[in-house]
Amino acid sequence: MDDWLIYRGVGAPDPDRIRRLPPPPPWRAFSGEPLPDPAPPIDSASTRRLGARGEAPPAQDAEALELINAALYLRRPLLVTGEPGSGKSTLAHSVAYELGLGRVLQWPVVSRTELKDGLYSYDAIGRLQDAQLAEHGSDDIGRYIRLGPLGTALLPAAQPRVLLIDELDKSDIDLPNDLLNVVEEGEFALPELERTADRPGQDEVRVLTDDGRRVPVRGGRVRCHAFPFVVMTSNGERDFPAPLLRRCIHLHLDPPRDERLAAMVQAHFGAGSDERNLDLIGQFTREDGDGELRPTDQLLNAIFLTQHAVREEPARREEIAELLMRPLDTRQR
């Protein structure tokens, strides 16, 4: 394995490797003063996707590893495309787990999502109500500001946070363009804080983050230090503007097969589980040539259910698996 790789896809923690990441290229260096607080540890969102890591063989091929590491070295977002179930979202969790980068910040995108949803929210009504009730007063504006997943990822930190922008192709036409400046500059303003930054004692305000911490924001701006490792996923339902594509590293993931599929089964069901379920894996992969959509979640569901329902009845195992692994478009007819 090439020694230059920081993330190696080995399925086991190796947090020391992130310290080997060289400084960014000059055009991707940012000046935020690092905060001392470490990122919270990974949570159940990661463990649900990764399973019992450490028992699995490498889960990415050489080209995928090179592109993932290119995004790390160049401090550029990674745009990951592929069919549902190809492991696009799981990739962000795998990088965070292996490199010890803490809890993955997740920003699920829908048609109504706007850039500000990812950056921060300001509860002006709550602040007004508190002022009227004289419970807390209105001086501590930071109590009413919460950074979103993107805003939290851009906080200055010594090590990059991992941010998953999931299903970007579901957004309206403006969001990919709106992301351009933030992705390029690595900073954003909070106008509510900028307006008061010149007042005595207001230059630094502590605000709430997406992961529940209170952190200082100086001068009404968030400016990153280590650019986050950003994974943007797309199911290929739309094209993105050229300026955004120019700022990203593009990785296409094919549905997991062979070693990657075996790794996935072992991660969730333990060592040797791929051998014990060769019949179901073979049944799942035999249908590849028909052009139908079969996410790998269906295979995992079939393995789990047949382990409990019909362990010793091969015919019944195949029958139940067939029901669970029907193509998605067949289910909708």
Side-chain angles (χ1 to χ4, degrees), residues 33 37-38 106 118 128 132 134 237 285:
E33 184 68 26
D37 296 338
Q106 300 185 81
L128 178 61
Q132 291 173 337
E237 296 183 5
T285 57

Side-chain angles (χ1 to χ4, degrees), residues 109-111 113 167-173 175-176 238 240:
V109 173
V110 296
S111 60
T113 300
E167 297 193 331
L168 183 60
D169 51 339
K170 296 286 196 300
S171 71
D172 71 13
I173 194 170
L175 182 59
R238 61 179 287 191
F240 295 114

Side-chain angles (χ1 to χ4, degrees), residues 50-93:
L50 300 176
R53 307 295 283 181
E55 300 176 350
Q60 280 89 27
D61 59 28
E63 180 177 322
L65 287 174
E66 289 170 354
L67 290 170
I68 294 166
N69 280 275
L72 282 167
Y73 272 76
L74 298 174
R75 277 66 170 185
R76 290 292 185 184
L78 185 69
L79 176 61
V80 187
T81 58
E83 296 178 0
S86 57
K88 301 185 299 296
S89 301
T90 301
L91 176 58
H93 295 272

Side-chain angles (χ1 to χ4, degrees), residues 191-202:
E192 295 83 357
L193 298 186
E194 280 189 318
R195 287 195 292 266
T196 61
D198 58 350
R199 298 178 186 175
Q202 295 293 313

Side-chain angles (χ1 to χ4, degrees), residues 261-278:
L261 190 59
M264 183 178 295
V265 172
Q266 289 191 57
H268 288 281
F269 297 102
S273 56
D274 56 324
E275 297 291 336
R276 294 192 296 274
N277 291 282
L278 279 178

Side-chain angles (χ1 to χ4, degrees), residues 243-321:
L244 179 66
L245 297 176
R246 180 171 63 85
R247 289 167 171 83
C248 296
I249 305 296
H250 181 205
L251 167 63
H252 181 80
L253 287 182
D254 292 321
R257 296 295 181 265
D258 302 325
E259 283 191 354
R260 284 185 63 210
L261 190 59
M264 183 178 295
V265 172
Q266 289 191 57
H268 288 281
F269 297 102
S273 56
D274 56 324
E275 297 291 336
R276 294 192 296 274
N277 291 282
L278 279 178
D279 57 338
L280 300 187
I281 294 174
Q283 185 177 345
F284 180 76
T285 57
R286 273 197 303 272
E287 309 298 334
D288 272 356
D290 63 9
E292 304 283 4
L293 180 60
R294 291 180 176 82
T296 51
D297 308 64
Q298 295 177 324
L299 172 62
L300 299 180
N301 290 338
I303 291 175
F304 179 83
L305 185 59
T306 55
Q307 283 181 344
H308 292 276
V310 284
R311 295 181 184 178
E312 308 300 333
E313 300 179 47
R316 289 285 290 144
R317 276 170 59 88
E318 183 174 344
E319 179 183 340
I320 291 177

